[in-house]
Amino acid sequence: MSALSDQLVTFAILVYLVAMISHAVEYALGNARARTVAAPARELVGAGVGGSGGLTPQPPAATGAAAAERTARRARLAGLTAVVATAIGALLHLGALVTRGLAADRMPWGNMYEFVLTVSWIGVTAWLVVLWKRPSLRRLGLFLTLVMVLLVATAELVLYTPIVPLVPALNSYWFVVHVSTIVFSSGILLLGVVPAVAYLMRAGHEQGKRSFPYTLAKRMPAAAALERLTFVLHAFAFPIFTFAVIAGAIWAEAAWGRPWGWDPKETWAFISWVVYAGYLHARATPSVKRNVATWLAVLGFLTVLMNLFGVNIFFEGLHSYGGLD
């Protein structure tokens, strides 16, 4: 089962890579279609149509329209391929988690490798649900699949840990209660940072900025839709994250005789909670600009990454379960 889990992770990375490339092709073809549609108009003007020359345009506008339609069909096919590949990757990803759990005879959340795999699966599954509800957001999948490739590949190539029994402190029913909620909320927050970053780029592009990275958002959904999705995902995840922190404090009381001790992971969890609370407060305050509030959402996820990677790698504490040598 352990070997099968490893193989399924590898296959999932490859399929996510196919999805990312397909999204990139759709994006590129969308740009090509825009150029193809614009070309006949330029040719008509250049040929003197509507002016004093009265010349016949060459080539006919119908040729450009036909080329644009072919390009549009190819873009739709690439987009559909990307979505199907993402769904297949998510199934392979789930299979890797299930087989890992069966091999370990426990929930697959015992170390940083398993945690990252689970969080990333929650994120991609939540994305498929969003896409089912809002197909118009499909082009956002380019950023999402890029994140999936980077996270899952990092887990497999850098964080991989052989299956070992749980450390004694984790042998508790609170392991399921606390870790399941922190994993779930972290996965939604992972998805939430994708439209947040896309919004900041798209808003800049809509304001006339044409330098990097704003040009990357040329074919992204409208800034207002991205900002709304960012808020909805964070408003959904924050109460779950809050419950996870409270459950962790109750577990700490039962395991170590104190609910809070400013352990590095506890400290960074508190920092994350404060930043996300600040984002939601700023988002609900009319005087705060939306891009300022969105930067707080991005900062919040950076604190989550610090808690996951930085604390486990660079700090020692009661929560040192990273599994890295």
Side-chain angles (χ1 to χ4, degrees):
M1 281 293 184
S2 177
L4 177 59
S5 176
D6 298 343
Q7 293 170 357
L8 288 173
V9 171
T10 301
F11 289 142
I13 294 171
L14 294 175
V15 176
Y16 285 144
L17 184 60
V18 170
M20 184 187 73
I21 293 172
S22 298
H23 274 301
V25 169
E26 179 188 26
Y27 187 95
L29 288 175
N31 288 338
R33 180 175 180 270
R35 291 192 297 269
T36 303
V37 170
R42 290 195 299 269
E43 290 161 358
L44 288 171
V45 172
V49 174
S52 59
L55 300 177
T56 302
Q58 293 292 335
T63 303
E69 181 57 31
R70 288 195 299 271
T71 303
R73 286 198 300 269
R74 292 168 184 165
R76 287 193 295 269
L77 178 59
L80 178 61
T81 300
V83 173
V84 172
T86 303
I88 293 173
L91 289 174
L92 293 169
H93 200 155
L94 175 61
L97 289 171
V98 171
T99 50
R100 176 88 176 184
L102 291 174
D105 194 27
R106 55 171 172 77
M107 300 303 292
W109 310 326
N111 50 60
M112 188 157 53
Y113 167 72
E114 296 171 356
F115 191 91
V116 171
L117 283 186
T118 307
V119 167
S120 54
W121 179 78
I122 293 292
V124 75
T125 303
W127 162 244
L128 291 172
V129 173
V130 169
L131 193 58
W132 177 60
K133 296 283 188 180
R134 298 284 299 277
S136 60
L137 297 172
R138 187 176 68 202
R139 286 199 176 99
L140 191 60
L142 175 60
F143 293 109
L144 187 280
T145 50
L146 172 62
V147 171
M148 286 302 107
V149 169
L150 292 176
L151 268 183
V152 181
T154 298
E156 184 69 8
L157 299 176
V158 179
L159 306 178
Y160 180 80
T161 304
I163 293 176
V164 294
L166 286 177
V167 297
L170 296 181
N171 278 316
S172 167
Y173 61 88
W174 283 106
F175 172 66
V176 175
V177 176
H178 170 63
V179 181
S180 64
T181 50
I182 202 71
V183 163
F184 184 80
S185 58
S186 296
I188 303 300
L189 294 172
L190 165 64
L191 175 59
V193 78
V194 174
V197 173
Y199 162 74
L200 292 170
M201 293 190 297
R202 178 64 181 175
H205 188 273
E206 291 181 359
Q207 293 165 8
K209 297 178 181 179
R210 295 296 182 265
S211 60
F212 181 85
Y214 303 106
T215 52
L216 295 177
K218 181 179 180 180
R219 306 296 299 176
M220 287 293 106
L226 294 171
E227 196 280 331
R228 176 65 181 171
L229 178 61
T230 300
F231 169 68
V232 169
L233 291 171
H234 284 81
F236 176 70
F238 184 72
I240 303 172
F241 183 76
T242 301
F243 174 80
V245 173
I246 295 171
I250 297 173
W251 187 9
E253 173 69 29
W256 302 316
R258 52 81 173 159
W260 197 269
W262 297 106
D263 180 81
K265 190 166 284 288
E266 294 171 350
T267 301
W268 278 98
F270 176 71
I271 292 172
S272 297
W273 187 90
V274 169
V275 174
Y276 280 124
Y279 160 70
L280 292 175
H281 177 72
R283 176 58 170 70
T285 304
S287 61
V288 178
K289 294 181 179 179
R290 293 293 167 85
N291 64 326
V292 174
T294 304
W295 273 114
L296 286 176
V298 174
L299 177 61
F301 192 71
L302 292 178
T303 66
V304 170
L305 290 180
M306 177 62 192
N307 201 3
L308 175 59
F309 293 103
V311 171
N312 282 329
I313 294 173
F314 300 113
F315 294 92
E316 290 292 334
L318 294 173
H319 291 81
S320 297
Y321 310 132
L324 297 177
D325 295 330

